[in-house]
C-alpha cells in the first residue's frame, strides 16, 4: 500500500474512524478480478469472497460498481453467495451493473434495469464496417444487452488498434445517439447519462454515509473518483484507491492510495478491516 502523500495517510485514518458509517465501492475488472484476454473468464480473485465478508462486518455497506452486465458480474464473482453471507451478518451487498443502469442487492435479489437504448441495434449493424476500415475486423465484440464493447486485447497490437478505433467509433456512436466509454484495451458504446459517479452519489445519500472508499483501475472509474472528491468537500471521510497496472495510469494522479492489482486491493481491504476492528474495540 503506497500513499500518494501525507494527506492520503490522514484520509485513510479518517476512514478508519468512520468505518461503521462508510460505504466501500469496488470496480470489478482489474480491481476484484484480474484482467484476462477473454472477458468471459474474468473470475473474481480467490481471496475476494472471504475478504469482502470480513470487511462487511466493519463498514456500512459494500457495493460492486461495474461496466459489466449485472448477471455476468454476479456469476463470475460468485457474488450471490457473498451477498448471502453478508446479509446473514446483518449488512448488505449492492451490485450496480452497466455503470449503474442495472441494480441488484443481497436484500432484493432481482436485477432491475431499463430496456436497451435506442440506436444500439443500428450501431451494431454499422460497426463491422468501422472495424474493417480500422484493420480491426478480428476484434472481439461483446454484446452486453444495454451496451456493446469492442475488445482489442486479443489483436497483434492491441494498444495501436485501440487508438485507431477511438475516433471512428466515437463518430459512429454520436450518429446513433450514444456515447463511448474507453477502458483498458476496450471501447464500450452505451447510452449517455449513467456513470459510476452517479452511483457513488446515490449510495452516499441513500445510506446516509459518513465515509466513502472507492477502488478502481481505469478510465471508467474517473467519474467515481471525482464524485468521492466532491463528497470529501461535503465533510465525508473519503479514500480513492487506484489498482495500478502497466497498461493504465490515468487514476494514479487522482488517487490517495496506489496498490498493485486485485491482490493489492484485497490487501488494503484486509488492513482496513483490521484497523477498523481495532479502533472499534479501543
Amino acid at each position: 500500500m503506497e500513499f500518494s502523500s501525507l494527506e492520503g495517510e490522514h484520509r485513510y485514518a479518517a476512514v478508519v474512524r468512520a468505518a461503521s458509517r462508510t460505504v466501500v465501492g469496488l470496480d470489478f475488472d482489474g480491481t476484484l478480478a484480474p484482467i484476462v484476454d477473454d472477458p468471459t473468464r474474468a473470475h473474481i480473485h480467490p481471496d475476494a469472497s472471504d475478504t469482502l465478508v470480513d470487511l462487511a462486518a466493519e463498514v456500512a455497506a459494500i457495493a460492486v460498481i461495474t461496466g459489466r452486465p449485472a448477471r455476468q458480474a454476479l456469476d463470475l464473482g460468485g457474488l450471490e453467495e457473498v451477498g448471502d453471507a453478508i446479509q446473514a451478518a446483518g449488512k448488505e451487498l449492492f451490485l450496480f451493473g452497466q455503470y449503474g443502469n442495472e441494480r441488484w442487492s443481497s436484500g432484493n435479489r432481482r436485477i432491475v434495469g431499463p430496456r436497451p437504448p435506442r440506436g444500439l441495434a443500428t450501431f451494431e449493424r454499422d460497426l463491422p464496417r468501422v472495424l474493417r476500415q480500422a484493420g480491426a475486423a478480428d476484434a472481439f465484440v461483446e454484446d452486453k444487452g444495454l451496451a456493446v464493447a469492442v475488445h482489442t486485447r486479443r489483436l497483434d497490437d492491441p494498444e495501436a488498434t485501440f487508438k485507431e478505433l477511438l475516433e471512428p467509433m466515437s463518430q459512429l456512436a454520436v450518429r446513433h445517439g450514444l456515447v463511448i466509454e474507453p477502458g483498458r484495451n476496450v471501447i464500450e458504446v452505451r447510452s449517455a447519462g449513467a456513470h459510476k459517479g452517479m452511483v457513488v452519489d446515490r449510495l452516499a445519500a441513500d445510506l446516509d454515509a459518513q465515509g466513502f472508499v472507492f477502488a478502481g483501475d481505469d478510465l471508467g472509474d474517473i467519474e467515481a473518483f471525482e464524485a468521492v472528491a466532491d463528497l470529501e468537500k461535503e465533510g465525508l471521510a473519503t479514500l480513492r484507491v487506484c489498482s495500478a497496472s502497466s497498461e493504465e495510469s490515468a487514476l494514479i494522479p487522482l488517487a490517495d492510495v496506489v496498490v498493485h492489482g486485485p491482490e493489492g486491493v484485497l490487501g488494503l481491504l484486509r488492513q482496513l478491516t483490521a484497523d477498523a476492528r481495532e479502533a472499534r474495540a479501543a
Side-chain angles (χ1 to χ4, degrees), residues 2-282:
E2 179 182 338
F3 289 102
S4 59
S5 65
L6 183 60
E7 188 174 7
E9 293 187 49
H10 291 161
R11 286 175 180 159
Y12 175 81
V15 164
V16 169
R17 292 192 296 271
S20 65
R21 298 294 301 277
T22 290
V23 177
V24 177
L26 302 159
D27 178 34
F28 189 85
D29 292 281
T31 303
L32 287 176
I35 296 291
V36 294
D37 289 344
D38 184 350
T40 66
R41 294 180 176 273
H43 295 285
I44 199 169
H45 190 284
D47 295 338
S49 297
D50 290 342
T51 299
L52 294 180
V53 172
D54 288 345
L55 174 65
E58 303 301 329
V59 299
I62 298 173
V64 177
I65 308 171
T66 176
R68 282 185 178 272
R71 171 45 58 192
Q72 192 179 79
L74 286 169
D75 292 344
L76 290 173
L79 294 177
E80 287 179 297
E81 292 79 9
V82 175
D84 286 342
I86 289 176
Q87 194 74 23
K91 299 295 180 69
E92 194 159 13
L93 174 69
F94 296 90
L95 172 69
F96 292 84
Q98 306 219 39
Y99 297 90
N101 277 310
E102 295 180 320
R103 301 179 301 281
W104 175 95
S105 75
S106 57
N108 178 14
R109 303 176 69 83
R110 185 168 64 94
I111 296 172
V112 179
R115 297 188 177 199
R118 293 180 61 184
L120 188 63
T122 51
F123 172 88
E124 290 186 84
R125 181 197 65 198
D126 295 341
L127 179 60
R129 173 180 53 82
V130 171
L131 296 179
R132 288 194 302 270
Q133 291 174 347
D138 293 332
F140 174 56
V141 178
E142 180 185 7
D143 186 344
K144 295 186 169 186
L146 301 180
V148 174
V150 175
H151 298 262
T152 65
R153 182 173 298 277
R154 300 179 185 177
L155 302 180
D156 291 339
D157 193 341
E159 293 184 7
T161 309
F162 171 86
K163 292 176 182 177
E164 183 73 18
L165 279 173
L166 270 177
E167 184 59 28
M169 281 191 60
S170 179
Q171 292 176 1
L172 182 63
V174 169
R175 287 203 297 273
H176 292 279
L178 304 167
V179 297
I180 67 166
E181 184 74 56
R184 281 207 228 172
N185 292 323
V186 59
I187 304 169
E188 183 164 317
V189 177
R190 57 187 175 84
S191 61
H195 56 73
K196 294 183 181 183
M198 294 176 63
V199 178
V200 168
D201 289 337
R202 184 188 315 164
L203 281 168
D206 289 351
L207 300 177
D208 193 23
Q210 292 183 1
F212 209 106
V213 175
F214 185 84
D217 75 307
D218 70 6
L219 296 169
D221 299 309
I222 287 178
E223 288 93 346
F225 269 41
E226 291 172 344
V228 171
D230 289 339
L231 291 176
E232 183 191 15
K233 294 175 185 176
E234 296 174 13
L236 274 71
T238 64
L239 194 73
R240 294 168 294 176
V241 181
C242 172
S243 177
S245 75
S246 59
E247 294 181 356
E248 182 58 69
S249 60
L251 294 182
I252 291 177
L254 306 175
D256 301 308
V257 184
V258 177
V259 297
H260 297 286
E263 287 192 4
V265 172
L266 296 176
L268 182 145
L269 296 181
R270 285 192 290 269
Q271 187 65 55
L272 175 60
T273 301
D275 290 343
R277 185 173 295 139
E278 182 179 344
R280 176 168 54 83

